[in-house]
Amino acid sequence: QGALSNFLNPKTVLVYITFMPQFINLDAHTNQQLLILGFILTLIAVGWFLILVYVIDYVKKWFKKPVFQKAFQRCSGVLLIGFGIRTIV
């Protein structure tokens, strides 16, 4: 579903059409260069999302700790009380 969404997304095509030609040598095989640049762009995106998933997984484990949850509840309570006081004033 995500791949189909990306294929049908006009923004992806616009970025590819406007950004990639500046890296193409017209004296060489243009199609081959476009495929290589597309592959590099895909590798960068996959690498970024793998890093993002790893960081989110680490943060999720940290959020599940009771010490963090208690501190978070206290901080958010103080913040909400502060917003309420600010609204009253």
Side-chain angles (χ1 to χ4, degrees):
Q1 186 178 8
L4 181 63
S5 174
N6 276 335
F7 287 136
L8 298 176
N9 187 357
K11 290 184 289 187
T12 306
V13 174
L14 287 175
V15 168
Y16 196 72
I17 288 173
T18 58
F19 185 67
M20 290 299 169
Q22 61 186 337
F23 299 106
I24 301 292
N25 181 7
L26 296 177
D27 297 332
H29 299 287
T30 308
N31 290 336
Q32 185 180 14
Q33 293 177 51
L34 283 172
L35 287 174
I36 291 171
L37 288 173
F39 183 69
I40 291 170
L41 189 64
T42 303
L43 284 177
I44 290 171
V46 168
W48 166 249
F49 284 119
L50 286 175
I51 291 170
L52 194 63
V53 166
Y54 176 74
V55 169
I56 289 173
D57 187 51
Y58 177 76
V59 170
K60 182 179 79 171
K61 290 176 185 174
W62 194 57
F63 279 173
K64 287 186 177 182
K65 292 181 181 179
V67 174
F68 177 80
Q69 287 181 354
K70 191 173 186 178
F72 182 75
Q73 287 175 354
R74 286 184 179 166
C75 288
S76 61
V78 168
L79 187 68
L80 289 173
I81 290 171
F83 285 150
I85 292 172
R86 174 109 168 125
T87 303
I88 290 171
V89 171

